Amino acid sequence: MAPVYREYDHDELAREYSPSSCVEDIAVELAAYTERSKDAYEALEVRRDLRYGPAEPELVDFFPPRGPVPDGGAPLHVFVHGGYWQELDKADSVFAAPDFTARGTAYAAVGYGLAPHWPLDAIVDQVRRSVHWLLDRAEELGVDPGRVQLSGSSAGAHLAAMALLGPAAPSGRRVAGAVLLSGVYDLEPIALTYVNDALGLDAAAARRNSPLHLLADGPALPPLLLVRGEHETAEFGRQQDVFAAAARRAGARVETAVAAGRNHFDLPLDLGRTDTPLGAAVAAQSAA
């Protein structure tokens, strides 16, 4: 078969953008998010379904830190879930809340609409507005507006990056740091795979929703930490490397890593765990 993108034919490209091709059982991987998130909801104080916009999915779940809040407010970690813009929910995305809140950091999980009901332009707008909303209301939430850290995994990493870029994005200087896990930053190949069945991207939509192509004209970026798992496809590795290099050229301070023994799905479970390389790096960025 003839190549459709780089050296890949259609089937090879689909496999490169199928993270499940690198794990034994995708259902088990995703169940860990839901089960650990359920435990977090049961164990922690939470302000559930805070509304950042009028549409049904425009909601945030906010977990205040455990213990006294320092003068000036607590740090806040904001997480944007993945699922290729068409699966999962904020309710599956609070697995890291116990780790963050135990060390005095508030935690927020962002909800947004899913394809095909919501087009990607609208999804990007929702996540941008959720970040605006949390920054604008930081003080009333007991959060230090200068210590907000944004993260996302897979499609969530793409959305977190888009929240920092583009004309409608909050200034990157307002977010203290961003952690992008196993992200897709150039959507051109996505538009050539099965993932686009739900998204319906044409070439123009893929380009305007690609963080890689917004770096030159975007606001100044905060420090970035880009991490992927050891057990991921070559294209996810290339996406990280290309975006990291372009972000550095745009003036951002960028750290990259490959997490040994981790795959696309279990990597986010380390976000708040300071006994793991990822969790330690996340905590170090927050403290900087």
Side-chain angles (χ1 to χ4, degrees):
M1 296 176 65
V4 295
Y5 182 78
R6 295 171 58 80
E7 68 270 30
Y8 302 111
D9 65 29
H10 186 269
D11 290 342
E12 291 168 338
L13 188 64
R15 187 164 52 251
E16 284 294 310
Y17 283 95
S18 297
S20 59
S21 66
C22 296
V23 300
E24 185 173 336
D25 189 336
I26 180 63
V28 171
E29 302 285 345
L30 297 181
Y33 298 163
T34 303
E35 292 165 5
R36 296 191 190 191
S37 293
K38 182 176 180 290
D39 291 342
Y41 282 119
E42 292 175 352
L44 302 177
E45 177 188 353
V46 57
R47 296 177 62 182
R48 202 159 185 174
D49 293 339
L50 299 179
R51 183 161 292 286
Y52 68 83
E56 181 180 353
E58 295 177 356
L59 302 167
V60 169
D61 287 352
F62 176 81
F63 294 78
R66 286 178 270 179
V69 176
D71 292 341
L76 170 64
H77 188 93
V78 182
F79 181 71
V80 185
H81 70 81
Y84 261 159
W85 307 277
Q86 56 196 286
E87 293 183 89
L88 300 178
D89 183 77
K90 65 179 174 61
D92 306 303
S93 308
V94 304
F95 45 80
D99 298 311
F100 282 101
T101 58
R103 63 174 187 261
T105 297
Y107 183 92
V110 172
Y112 56 85
L114 301 177
H117 182 71
W118 290 89
L120 187 56
D121 290 288
I123 295 171
V124 167
D125 176 66
Q126 287 174 341
V127 175
R128 281 177 175 158
R129 286 190 287 108
S130 77
V131 176
H132 273 292
W133 189 90
L134 286 163
L135 289 166
D136 290 344
R137 288 159 181 79
E139 292 182 4
E140 66 187 74
L141 292 170
V143 167
D144 181 346
R147 299 182 67 191
V148 176
Q149 184 180 43
L150 178 65
S151 75
S153 174
S154 192
H158 162 268
L159 292 169
M162 290 295 289
L164 299 173
L165 295 164
S171 168
R173 286 185 290 270
R174 294 187 66 195
V175 172
V179 180
L180 307 178
L181 307 180
S182 306
V184 179
Y185 309 105
D186 179 2
L187 300 193
E188 180 185 356
I190 290 290
L192 302 172
T193 72
Y194 69 97
V195 182
N196 203 39
D197 293 348
L199 297 175
L201 299 175
D202 59 19
R207 187 174 183 86
R208 70 173 173 266
N209 285 295
S210 291
L212 182 68
H213 299 304
L214 299 179
L215 285 166
D217 300 322
L221 287 167
L224 302 178
L225 173 63
L226 275 64
V227 185
R228 67 179 184 269
E230 177 186 6
H231 304 301
E232 303 219 35
T233 68
E235 272 296 283
F236 277 94
R238 188 188 66 82
Q239 286 265 355
Q240 175 168 300
D241 293 345
V242 170
F243 185 72
R248 290 188 182 106
R249 289 194 297 271
R253 189 167 82 243
V254 182
E255 295 182 47
T256 64
V258 178
R262 294 296 188 262
N263 63 54
H264 190 91
F265 302 100
D266 62 9
L267 177 62
L269 299 176
D270 290 348
L271 258 178
R273 293 183 51 201
T274 55
D275 60 339
T276 67
L278 171 59
V282 171
Q285 185 194 76
S286 179

